[in-house]
Amino acid sequence: MTTLKELQTWIDQVTELTQPDDIHWCDGSEEEYRGMADLLLSNGGFVELNQETHPGCYLHRSDPSDVARVEHLTFVCTSQEEDAGPNNNWLAPDEARSRMKDLFRGCMQGRTMYVIPYCMGPIDSPLSRCGVEITDSPYVVANMKLMTRMGSAALRRIEREGTFVKGLHSIGELDPERRFIMHFPEDLEIQSFGSGYGGNALLGKKCHALRIASYQARTEGWLAEHMLIVGVESPDGEVHYVAAAFPSACGKTNLAMMIPPSNYDGWKIWTLGDDICWMRVGDDGRLWAINPEAGFFGVAPGTAEKTNPNALAMLDHDAIFTNVAVTADGQPWWEGLDDRVPATDWKGNPYDPDGGPAAHPNSRFTVHMSQCPSYSEKAEAPEGVPISAIVFGGRREQLVPLVMESVSWNHGVLMGAAMASETTAANIDTVGVVRRDPMAMKPFCGYNFADYWAHWLSFAGASGHLPKIFHVNWFRKDSDGRFMWPGFGENMRVLEWIVRRCKNDVGAVETPIGRVPHPGDVDLDGISVEPATMKALLDIDVEAWRGELDAIGEYLESYGDRTPAALRVERQRVARALNDA
Ligand code: OXD
Ligand code: MN
């Protein structure tokens, strides 16, 4: 089925190991997608939703033990342990391969093996990279169709280029005791067994486009990041592109599809991506970005008319819902959507208000990007878009101001490396604990963080036209535990300041930890944020920040000798500025 010998040999080896009944090469056609949906409807993998209100929409209920990424079962298997770093679980490649071989042996007996050639990024972009996922899950095939450029065109590119990421996936028995997600970055290879859930099973996403791609990006001189991409259009028609990194389930999708407040006449946000961004320095010295994905795999709970009207508008047709609740008339429902009461919870049981949330907190929608009303055609541009600003952000109740700007590239890298956030339901572990999540890549960096920071720092000398770097925090709370900033569409006010800083047409206040807006420079027209609250949102508590800088220092030192000296120097500079303040 392919002219590429390396691909055919691998397929033959996997066939011999896993013993499928059938092999299906995915062509990516609409008919194939329909066939997959019909198959899933007939075997219980899909439940049909109300086809009058939601044509082409289906619900998938995953195994209740298989509802999120599993960081504790995710490994980076480099030949040297130090190359994976303290930020990853590590196994020696031989050991990992032999464990996985035992799991995969005979696992596709009685099943069809699907071969999915896919391209991450526009099919004709030099920034794109291809992969082939082998899976025994038709749910994965259907999702990959929406999330990637999948099928014949991708196969042609793979045959032309001769290189591709090999991803082998089986749902196995969905037994949490027999579940592993292994990455072999040196061989551009992924093996995932025992989970059918998103990030564990749709291998193009976190496994390829972040873990493997981050490793590959370092060797090839580019960046693979956990970032959304938006175009911010101002009333004069100028568009500035912004890439922003936030940890999982911290509002990337909402920000990516934001509708500016009503007093922002003539402003518009264009959506290019909500999760992953690949960037490379162009001939003009600017960073050019593509979104390697073709769809959104977004968190459903909290998505509502008020928080993300564009997302709601794209979810009433041709979407796959995973682990949401259902109303009596068969419509998808989740907490925060509206005040209807669902009939059935995410497990398919009659809804019991005392029995926990109706939709799983990490329930998801999968939908093709072009269905988003704010979708930008530029998402298909082979050359990508030039990035004016990089924004880092975490979920921090205290300490971290609404927005600050770094004074240099290296300072921006320190801001990214020092990021911390309260954990969310996107991973199976405890929720709400503050952890360091550098560049929002803690679960996704395919190599040692110290080397990753060094890679980021290496760009400083590469060009004089790099984006400015900012840090934001939408989640600060007052002493009564209330959010101080309204968030959602109102974040436009902060984005405007960021864009104006990029154009050098607004000033800033220098503080020891970076530049913040003059309080009057963030437009508060139409929102009930008092000037005193704004002042507090931008306030720097010098004493508390001294403690934070100590904690950052300890964190950086936990990477030992590999921590780049330039990052240490930068931290010392900020610590000194705080001591002098
Ligand atoms: C995601 C995640 O699914 O970050 O995007 O967990
Ligand atoms: Mn993500």
Side-chain angles (χ1 to χ4, degrees):
M1 278 307 255
T2 173
T3 53
L4 186 63
K5 193 159 171 287
E6 187 186 341
L7 174 54
Q8 191 59 54
T9 307
W10 176 56
I11 302 288
D12 293 344
Q13 285 163 353
V14 172
T15 305
E16 200 184 314
L17 176 68
T18 61
Q19 305 278 305
D21 280 12
D22 270 313
I23 302 180
H24 173 108
W25 283 75
C26 297
D27 61 14
S29 63
E30 287 307 315
E31 302 76 69
E32 182 177 74
Y33 181 77
R34 285 252 36 89
M36 236 26 86
D38 289 343
L39 173 67
L40 284 155
L41 284 168
S42 70
N43 70 13
F46 272 173
V47 174
E48 192 168 64
L49 292 167
N50 186 325
Q51 294 299 299
E52 264 160 45
T53 57
H54 290 76
C57 288
Y58 307 104
L59 165 66
H60 171 74
R61 292 194 180 106
S62 75
D63 187 279
S65 72
D66 187 30
V67 291
R69 287 185 289 98
V70 282
E71 290 173 23
H72 62 295
L73 301 175
T74 300
F75 288 74
V76 169
C77 309
T78 41
S79 5
Q80 302 299 317
E81 182 168 3
E82 312 82 70
D83 290 340
N87 45 307
N88 282 302
N89 300 314
W90 176 85
L91 265 181
D94 286 350
E95 157 78 17
R97 282 183 191 284
S98 104
R99 271 200 209 181
M100 295 309 273
K101 205 166 189 178
D102 288 346
L103 293 173
F104 278 110
R105 190 166 291 116
C107 71
M108 295 193 194
Q109 276 169 21
R111 298 179 185 173
T112 297
M113 174 172 115
Y114 299 95
V115 180
I116 312 173
Y118 63 87
C119 178
M120 298 311 291
I123 199 84
D124 50 354
S125 170
L127 281 76
S128 301
R129 293 288 182 275
C130 292
V132 176
E133 174 166 358
I134 298 178
T135 180
D136 51 12
S137 162
Y139 167 79
V140 166
V141 177
N143 276 271
M144 287 291 281
K145 160 78 177 157
L146 301 180
M147 294 301 298
T148 70
R149 282 92 174 163
M150 175 262 252
S152 311
L155 180 59
R156 279 196 298 276
R157 178 167 171 163
I158 290 168
E159 288 173 342
R160 208 171 53 240
E161 291 182 336
T163 52
F164 61 98
V165 170
K166 296 187 178 102
L168 173 55
H169 169 252
S170 169
I171 55 171
E173 314 84 44
L174 295 174
D175 175 357
E177 299 299 320
R178 286 165 53 82
R179 180 175 294 163
F180 283 112
I181 326 293
M182 301 286 187
H183 302 75
F184 305 92
E186 291 154 354
D187 303 316
L188 303 184
E189 206 174 326
I190 306 154
Q191 296 187 6
S192 166
F193 189 91
S195 167
Y197 173 80
N200 305 329
L202 313 177
L203 300 187
K205 194 174 178 64
K206 302 300 186 181
C207 300
H208 178 163
L210 287 176
R211 296 193 193 97
I212 298 288
S214 59
Y215 182 96
Q216 194 177 23
R218 180 176 56 138
T219 55
E220 296 176 1
W222 47 284
L223 290 165
E225 299 300 324
H226 191 203
M227 292 179 179
L228 64 88
I229 311 170
V230 287
V232 183
E233 182 172 335
S234 48
D236 55 11
E238 202 179 6
V239 183
H240 282 266
Y241 293 94
V242 175
F246 295 82
S248 307
C250 284
K252 280 208 298 299
T253 306
N254 292 342
L255 186 60
M257 296 170 196
M258 177 174 73
I259 297 186
S262 53
N263 60 319
Y264 272 72
D265 224 14
W267 289 83
K268 163 130 184 109
I269 294 291
W270 293 100
T271 308
L272 287 93
D274 79 330
D275 198 39
I276 302 181
C277 168
W278 288 356
M279 294 182 280
R280 180 188 284 277
V281 178
D283 294 339
D284 60 0
R286 293 189 290 175
L287 266 190
W288 287 75
I290 61 163
N291 170 12
E293 301 192 279
F296 306 114
F297 182 67
V299 177
T303 307
E305 195 52 48
K306 183 169 169 292
T307 60
N308 193 343
N310 275 334
L312 274 200
M314 72 184 179
L315 292 177
D316 60 7
H317 68 104
D318 301 302
I320 301 171
F321 294 88
T322 300
N323 293 340
V324 299
V326 184
T327 61
D329 65 345
Q331 298 189 44
W333 191 91
W334 49 81
E335 273 67 22
L337 176 60
D338 53 33
D339 50 19
R340 286 174 300 168
V341 177
T344 312
D345 71 12
W346 65 276
K347 293 183 185 156
N349 298 323
Y351 173 56
D352 168 8
D354 299 326
H360 188 277
N362 192 36
S363 53
R364 300 278 177 148
F365 51 78
T366 320
V367 64
H368 196 268
M369 214 156 59
S370 59
Q371 287 187 201
C372 180
S374 53
Y375 167 72
S376 166
E377 298 279 335
K378 287 278 185 192
E380 284 299 331
E383 70 281 11
V385 293
I387 298 295
S388 300
I390 289 176
V391 178
F392 294 120
R395 191 182 272 272
R396 295 293 294 269
E397 286 189 12
Q398 320 262 321
L399 188 78
V400 181
L402 179 63
V403 57
M404 53 182 170
E405 179 193 325
S406 66
V407 297
S408 65
W409 180 262
N410 283 9
H411 181 211
V413 175
L414 175 69
M415 277 181 177
M419 258 171 77
S421 194
E422 291 140 28
T423 51
T424 67
N427 178 40
I428 210 99
D429 243 343
T430 330
V431 170
V433 194
V434 175
R435 72 164 177 181
R436 295 272 160 215
D437 191 351
M439 281 83 168
M441 284 287 277
K442 167 72 186 74
F444 308 121
C445 183
Y447 62 105
N448 189 320
F449 256 150
D451 300 342
Y452 169 78
W453 299 324
H455 181 49
W456 264 84
L457 292 165
S458 74
F459 284 79
S463 155
H465 303 285
L466 293 172
K468 278 181 182 285
I469 302 182
F470 297 81
H471 191 291
V472 299
N473 177 23
W474 317 133
F475 300 96
R476 194 135 162 199
K477 289 187 175 167
D478 63 17
S479 49
D480 295 327
R482 283 181 307 230
F483 286 112
M484 293 162 75
W485 179 249
F488 304 108
E490 310 303 346
N491 293 335
M492 180 67 220
R493 299 164 192 276
V494 174
L495 273 190
E496 183 200 358
W497 185 77
I498 288 175
V499 167
R500 289 182 67 197
R501 285 296 299 162
C502 294
K503 298 204 296 189
N504 278 327
D505 78 356
V506 69
V509 182
E510 304 281 345
T511 82
I513 60 166
R515 298 176 179 138
V516 301
H518 291 285
D521 284 341
V522 177
D523 187 347
L524 299 182
D525 193 20
I527 45 170
S528 57
V529 175
E530 299 298 325
T533 308
M534 191 64 212
K535 202 167 160 296
L537 276 164
L538 296 174
D539 193 42
I540 311 295
D541 178 340
V542 169
E543 199 46 51
W545 268 99
R546 284 186 189 134
E548 178 75 355
L549 262 284
D550 287 346
I552 293 168
E554 258 169 55
Y555 177 66
L556 296 182
E557 288 318 315
S558 70
Y559 287 81
D561 290 348
R562 277 167 105 125
T563 302
L567 210 54
R568 287 207 179 92
V569 168
E570 200 49 38
R571 194 205 66 85
Q572 282 155 4
R573 184 191 62 74
V574 178
R576 258 198 318 276
L578 281 161
N579 284 337
D580 294 347

